[in-house]
């Protein structure tokens, strides 16, 4: 039996506004509990909600960025369920008329573009935070502590259609969405801070079937790694069950990071009837052309546009995708560097391999201000034209990250310029051949590993100032004619 | 009233525990009210647009500015149980 | 009279009326005296804050005043102290009014007799064997009894006008959205409106003037553009559906009496018919419970109010709500929960919203032809304790005449016009088009002058005679 998986993603994006969604409490990042709360976000009797204009602008931007149609007359609904960290025991959300509908995001997998259809983009408010204390195990808590600083922070929920088929695709989708909200400037987009929180709806069915299998919702995946693993695990679990002829139960499951399995969550009976109804505290919301156009003005350089620019510079789709998901400064540095190097692939490799690697090792997040695209492109050009070896280039880069040097003068002053003088190399090669007659006799063909050893010996005798490519050429000519 | 009316389901949704006596009394009263409101079924509401606010008011949006919140002491002063600045409740995980 | 003397006077009245009436849940004597003395000084220095400076006003106990208990007459909030002021409270404080205290109501404003208070009923100052009406029974009784000069109530289906009528005072429900609901503990958000209860229509005008206006904290609040009356002669419609079976002859007679007076003055009076008003009660008893079922979800024992012990949060919430809410509140929450639940939404709540929209349209059409609509305020004068507690519909029917104005968001005022056979007050209600509040008040004042209602409750007479 050939089985296929179908995945739909529901993602909550925390917006980066100054104040909360329905009250003027400041959005704060603090461990001090209940310091940014008011009658509205604490659900005190008599308090009322008034929506944040910037949050609505942001959700319109996100909807446009995700190629959605905007609902011109929308409304807020109350979603009713009892939970201690939900102050009013209803969440203000949207039901029939979400702000954005029927969009898509383009994602890159290897060298291919895929479109992930977006069903809806709607506005809602966050809940408070629960901390379960007791024995340290979540299933034997003795009490729950509640902090409402997070309560009422604007959230946008982005829901895809069930069109994702693998965990890799789900991860690529989240990465694309994350980059979109960062480039729009509407969310900090930090997964580790919970700025993006995602649930996956997974079903497995026979490949030939037109119908989806039973839907299982997976919650509590806090990183892309756990998203990937949870989906893979869940597809495997459901597949095994189907192969055994058992039916999959429709339920919500929790990803257990320690055990690396999904676990069934015991849910309260009947809790699924949310009794949505239009919030009588909030009249209908009109999002007219003017509002949409004003929001549009703030949209520039989305991941999609960045990929296009990168591809035009000569990069492959996957390299473009890598760079558009990276830091803004790296993207900018690449584009200005490649102007001078004219070699997109080696520029990409040097920036993403060497530069980022060394920065990581040196634990610096930002490029020192004396390092600019001119110096970097000069450095790349130095080893691309064989003036310095790649090893030397790495050393120069390390130096450059520590102090303001000119790569070319530094190479000259420190004797790192490679000789490509064939006569000089020939002399060195001849003496190495003479000194290693035993090895030369054992050589069978130009592919022999020992050729490398001999090249190494020449390099050593030159104190690394000659170009290894030239050495190999001359050595092979001497040995094999 | 629909035969499907189940007072246990409804009280569960509403998160209100009811004694057997209460259930009997409430069931009877709700029956009377629901029979009365059944008259609405005779009104033709096909294609009727819903407009609740008498002045058809459109939502006004608030500028994104933060203002002073409640003082922490005021936020906590009615809390039945407090610990380290948190509200405390019995475990919310079953 | 100096404000402090006026305060001492109403306080002295309260000291003997309260033992009979139980209209105030709490009296703010110390604070009130202190503030009224500050007001004295302002008058002496000619720095009075206006007409309301130093005026003792009672506040219904579902409106938040910072630092004071706001119980909604519920056990649930028996220990709840508000950490903020309602917008109307802020406005009245700025105007220099003195709060006499908090008044009794039906729990969470659900009821028509104040019998549903967890702290015991309020009695009618005209005859303590009768109810004062509700839910603002306490607010109506204190004005009637003279233990406050005026009061604030809230009106969801008649909760200002019906008790004002039962207690022989003026009760006004403004246009929905003209007075901020911020800080009023919500019963049914799309229907609730705060308004004054006073001895005279002029007092109503003064208080309304102070509390009305746009509030950025209430998204349903409006920037009113009040309509004015073009002519001195107005067109008055008598609503046929409220002058038939179901409304007592006594109540109908008061309307007829006023009609004759109006005609004498040359006003144009015609009968109008709005057949859907007969559906108003049914619409109301789906919409109000549906909204209240969500509005009252926040009372769960987590952040404030009483809490019952339990081993899980859910059990704690279930038990707290079971113990904290009274029977009528539970009934309406369950009714609303049912009306919103999966499979019943369209049949009940959805349909009610549509019929309500039709009613709103019908009123609009009617107001193309008339300036005001006249009707009785209540089907009968005040009834006795326990008289309507057996069958919920009987109690609900006492709001028959007042509910339509809430559904359509219209301003409506009740003014006393006469006494019943057994010496209880009777009133008429006048409804106006949205934002006609001031002209409605002007028109009500002219009727007030015509009818010359000069009676006062026995309670006061007896005391004055003794
Ligand atoms: Mg959501
Ligand atoms: Zn807040």
């Amino acid at each position: 039996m050939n089985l296929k998986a179908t995945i739909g993603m529901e993602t909550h994006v925390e917006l980066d506004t100054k104040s909360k969604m329905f009250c003027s409490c400041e959005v704060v990042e603090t461990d001090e509990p209940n310091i940014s709360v008011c009658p509205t976000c604490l659900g005190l009797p008599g308090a009322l909600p008034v929506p944040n204009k910037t949050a609505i602008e942001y959700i319109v931007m996100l909807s446009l960025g995700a190629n959605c149609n905007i609902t011109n007359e929308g409304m807020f609904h109350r979603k009713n369920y009892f939970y201690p960290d939900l102050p009013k025991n209803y969440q203000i959300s949207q039901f029939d008329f979400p702000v954005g509908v029927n969009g898509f995001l383009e994602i890159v997998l290897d060298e291919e573009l895929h479109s992930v259809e977006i069903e809806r983009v709607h506005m809602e408010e966050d809940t408070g935070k629960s901390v379960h204390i007791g024995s340290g195990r979540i299933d034997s808590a003795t009490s729950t502590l509640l902090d409402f600083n997070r309560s009422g922070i604007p959230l946008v929920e982005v829901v895809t259609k069930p069109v994702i088929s693998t965990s890799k695709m789900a991860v690529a989708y989240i990465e694309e969405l994350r980059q979109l909200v960062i480039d729009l400037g509407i969310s900090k987009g930090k997964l580790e801070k919970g700025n993006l929180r995602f649930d996956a709806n997974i079903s497995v069915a026979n490949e030939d079937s037109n119908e989806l299998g039973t839907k299982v919702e997976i919650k509590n995946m806090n990183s892309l790694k756990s998203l990937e693993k949870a989906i893979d695990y869940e597809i495997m679990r459901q597949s095994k069950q189907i192969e055994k002829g058992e039916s999959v139960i429709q339920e919500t499951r929790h990803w257990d990071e320690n055990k690396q399995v999904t676990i069934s969550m015991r849910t309260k009976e009947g809790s699924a009837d949310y009794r949505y109804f239009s919030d009588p505290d909030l009249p209908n919301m009109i999002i007219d052309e003017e509002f949409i156009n004003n929001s549009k003005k703030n949209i520039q350089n989305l991941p999609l546009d960045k990929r296009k620019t990168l591809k035009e510079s000569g990069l492959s789709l996957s390299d473009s995708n890598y760079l558009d998901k990276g830091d803004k400064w790296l993207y900018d540095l690449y584009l200005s560097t490649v102007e001078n190097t004219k070699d997109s692939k080696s520029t990409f490799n040097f920036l993403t391999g060497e530069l980022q690697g060394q920065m990581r090792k040196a634990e610096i997040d930002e490029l020192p201000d004396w390092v600019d695209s001119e110096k970097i492109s000069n450095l790349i050009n130095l080893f691309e034209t064989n003036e310095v070896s790649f090893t030397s280039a790495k050393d120069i880069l390390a130096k450059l990250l520590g102090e303001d040097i000119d790569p070319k003068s530094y190479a000259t002053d420190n004797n790192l310029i490679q000789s490509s003088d064939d006569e000089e190399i020939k002399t060195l090669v001849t003496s190495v051949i003479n000194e290693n007659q035993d090895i030369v006799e054992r050589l069978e063909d130009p592919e022999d590993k020992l050729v490398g050893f001999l090249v190494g010996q020449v390099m050593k005798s030159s104190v690394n100032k000659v170009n290894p490519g030239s050495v190999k050429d001359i050595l092979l000519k001497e040995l094999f004619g | 009233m629909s035969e499907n009316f189940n007072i246990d389901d409804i009280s569960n949704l509403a998160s209100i525990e009811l004694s057997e006596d209460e259930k009997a009394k409430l069931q009877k009263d709700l029956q009377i009210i629901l029979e009365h409101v059944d008259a609405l079924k005779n009104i033709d509401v096909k294609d009727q647009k819903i407009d609740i606010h008498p002045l058809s008011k459109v939502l006004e949006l608030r500028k994104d500015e933060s203002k002073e919140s409640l003082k922490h002491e005021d936020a906590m002063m009615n809390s039945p149980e407090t610990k380290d600045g948190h509200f405390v409740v019995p475990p919310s995980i079953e | 009279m100096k404000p402090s003397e006026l305060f001492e006077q109403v306080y002295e009245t309260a000291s003997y009326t309260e033992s009979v009436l139980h209209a105030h849940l709490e009296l703010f004597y110390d604070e009130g005296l202190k503030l009224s003395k500050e007001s004295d000084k302002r008058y002496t220095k000619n720095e009075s804050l206006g007409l309301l400076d130093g005026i003792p006003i009672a506040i219904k106990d579902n409106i938040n005043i910072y630092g004071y208990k706001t119980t909604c007459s519920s056990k649930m909030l028996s220990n709840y102290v508000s950490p903020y002021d309602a917008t109307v409270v802020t406005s009245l404080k700025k105007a220099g009014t003195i709060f006499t205290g908090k008044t009794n109501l039906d729990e969470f404003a659900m009821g028509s007799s104040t019998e549903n208070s967890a702290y015991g009923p309020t009695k009618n100052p005209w005859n303590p064997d009768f109810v004062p009406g509700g839910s603002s029974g306490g607010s109506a009784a204190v004005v009637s009894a003279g233990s406050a000069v005026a009061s604030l109530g809230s009106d969801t289906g008649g909760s200002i006008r019906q008790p004002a009528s039962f207690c022989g005072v003026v009760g006004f429900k403004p246009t929905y959205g003209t007075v901020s609901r911020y800080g009023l503990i919500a019963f049914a958000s799309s229907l609730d409106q705060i308004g004054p209860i006073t001895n005279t229509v002029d007092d109503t005008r003064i208080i309304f003037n102070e509390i009305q206006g746009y509030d950025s904290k209430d998204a349903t609040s409006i920037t009113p553009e009040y309509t004015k009356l073009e002519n001195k002669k107005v067109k008055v419609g008598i609503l046929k559906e409220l002058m038939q079976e179901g409304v007592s002859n006594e109540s109908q007679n008061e309307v007829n009496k006023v009609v004759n007076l109006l005609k004498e003055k040359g006003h144009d009076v015609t009968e109008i018919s709005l057949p859907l008003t007969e559906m108003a009660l049914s619409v109301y008893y789906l919409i109000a419970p549906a909204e209240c079922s969500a509005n009252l979800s926040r009372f769960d024992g987590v952040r404030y109010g009483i809490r019952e012990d339990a081993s899980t949060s859910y059990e704690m919430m279930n038990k707290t709500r079971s113990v904290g809410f009274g029977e009528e509140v539970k009934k309406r929450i369950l009714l609303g929960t049912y009306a919103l639940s999966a499979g019943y939404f369209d049949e009940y709540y959805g349909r009610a919203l549509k019929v309500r929209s039709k009613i709103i349209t019908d009123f609009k059409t009617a107001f193309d032809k008339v300036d005001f609509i006249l009707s009785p305020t209540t089907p009968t004068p005040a009834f006795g304790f326990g008289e309507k507690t057996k069958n919920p519909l009987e109690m609900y029917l006492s709001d028959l005449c007042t509910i339509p104005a809430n559904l359509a968001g219209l301003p409506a005022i009740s003014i006393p016009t006469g006494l019943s056979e057994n010496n209880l007050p009777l009133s008429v209600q006048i409804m106006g088009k949205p934002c006609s509040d001031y002209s409605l008040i002007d028109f009500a004042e002219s009727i007030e002058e015509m009818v010359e209602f000069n009676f006062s409750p026995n309670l006061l007479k007896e005391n004055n005679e003794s």
Side-chain angles (χ1 to χ4, degrees), chain C residues 303-367:
Chain C
R303 289 143 292 128
Y304 48 80
I306 64 156
R307 178 187 287 185
E308 289 292 298
D309 284 337
S311 57
T312 69
S313 286
Y314 310 104
E315 213 186 304
M316 182 278 281
M317 293 193 280
N318 273 328
K319 288 203 155 71
T320 299
R321 289 165 64 75
S322 174
V323 170
F325 291 140
E327 186 190 301
E328 184 62 26
V329 172
K330 286 179 190 168
K331 192 186 300 169
R332 298 204 196 185
I333 291 176
L334 293 178
L335 179 57
T337 303
Y338 181 62
L340 291 174
S341 66
Y344 302 99
F345 184 95
D346 292 339
E347 187 181 339
Y348 290 118
Y349 182 69
R351 175 169 283 270
L353 284 184
K354 288 179 177 172
V355 178
R356 178 186 183 175
S357 301
K358 273 177 164 314
I359 291 175
I360 293 174
T361 312
D362 283 359
F363 269 108
K364 265 190 199 134
T365 313
F367 279 119

Side-chain angles (χ1 to χ4, degrees), chain C residues 88-383:
Chain C
V88 290
V89 165
T90 308
S91 305
L92 289 180
K93 279 182 175 175
K94 271 192 203 136
T97 62
I98 315 296
F99 300 136
T100 61
K102 299 302 272 301
T103 58
N104 200 11
L105 62 147
D106 286 295
E107 184 180 4
F108 286 104
M110 296 175 197
S112 308
S113 64
T114 321
E115 289 168 286
N116 294 334
S117 169
Y119 306 107
T122 292
K123 308 278 170 67
N124 191 318
W126 292 77
N127 184 338
D129 294 336
F130 290 80
V131 303
S135 66
S136 310
S139 284
V142 295
V143 176
S144 169
S147 57
V149 168
S151 65
L152 289 189
S154 67
D155 191 316
T156 307
S159 281
I160 287 174
R161 291 158 287 157
Q162 186 257 23
S165 170
F166 281 10
C167 293
V169 290
V170 177
F172 176 49
K173 183 203 91 72
T175 300
Y176 182 80
T178 55
V179 178
S180 170
R181 292 184 296 113
Y182 186 78
L184 165 69
I185 299 185
F187 161 16
S189 313
S190 75
L191 302 161
D192 295 344
Q193 194 62 187
I194 295 174
I197 296 176
T198 60
N199 281 301
T200 67
V201 175
D202 189 40
D203 286 354
T204 284
R205 182 188 287 120
I206 293 167
I207 294 179
F208 173 67
N209 198 32
E210 206 60 57
I211 59 176
Q212 62 81 37
Y214 176 74
D215 180 17
S216 60
K217 288 179 180 156
D218 175 358
T220 58
S221 146
I222 55 174
T223 311
E225 277 180 41
Y226 293 109
T227 54
K228 286 203 185 81
L229 273 186
E230 312 281 311
N231 298 313
K232 286 266 175 250
K233 301 273 178 273
V234 299
K235 282 187 194 151
V236 181
I238 308 299
L239 192 48
K240 186 183 144 209
E241 284 74 18
L242 296 178
M243 293 291 279
Q244 59 188 28
E245 203 198 320
V247 177
S248 71
N249 287 336
E250 273 187 321
S251 293
Q252 292 189 34
N253 286 342
E254 292 304 306
V255 172
N256 293 330
K257 188 170 90 188
V258 171
V259 166
N260 289 334
L261 291 169
L262 288 171
K263 281 182 178 166
E264 273 172 34
K265 298 274 175 195
H267 295 296
D268 182 356
V269 185
T270 50
E271 188 184 73
I272 59 165
S273 171
L274 296 169
L276 278 179
T277 49
E278 291 188 345
M279 291 296 128
L281 200 68
S282 294
V283 170
Y284 179 83
Y285 276 97
L286 287 171
I287 290 177
E291 292 183 9
C292 101
S293 74
N295 281 333
L296 270 63
S297 288
R298 67 188 63 197
F299 304 105
D300 58 5
V302 172
R303 289 143 292 128
Y304 48 80
I306 64 156
R307 178 187 287 185
E308 289 292 298
D309 284 337
S311 57
T312 69
S313 286
Y314 310 104
E315 213 186 304
M316 182 278 281
M317 293 193 280
N318 273 328
K319 288 203 155 71
T320 299
R321 289 165 64 75
S322 174
V323 170
F325 291 140
E327 186 190 301
E328 184 62 26
V329 172
K330 286 179 190 168
K331 192 186 300 169
R332 298 204 196 185
I333 291 176
L334 293 178
L335 179 57
T337 303
Y338 181 62
L340 291 174
S341 66
Y344 302 99
F345 184 95
D346 292 339
E347 187 181 339
Y348 290 118
Y349 182 69
R351 175 169 283 270
L353 284 184
K354 288 179 177 172
V355 178
R356 178 186 183 175
S357 301
K358 273 177 164 314
I359 291 175
I360 293 174
T361 312
D362 283 359
F363 269 108
K364 265 190 199 134
T365 313
F367 279 119
D368 287 339
K369 293 187 216 104
V370 299
D371 300 307
F372 302 107
I373 295 173
L374 184 67
S375 77
T377 307
T378 56
T380 65
F383 46 86

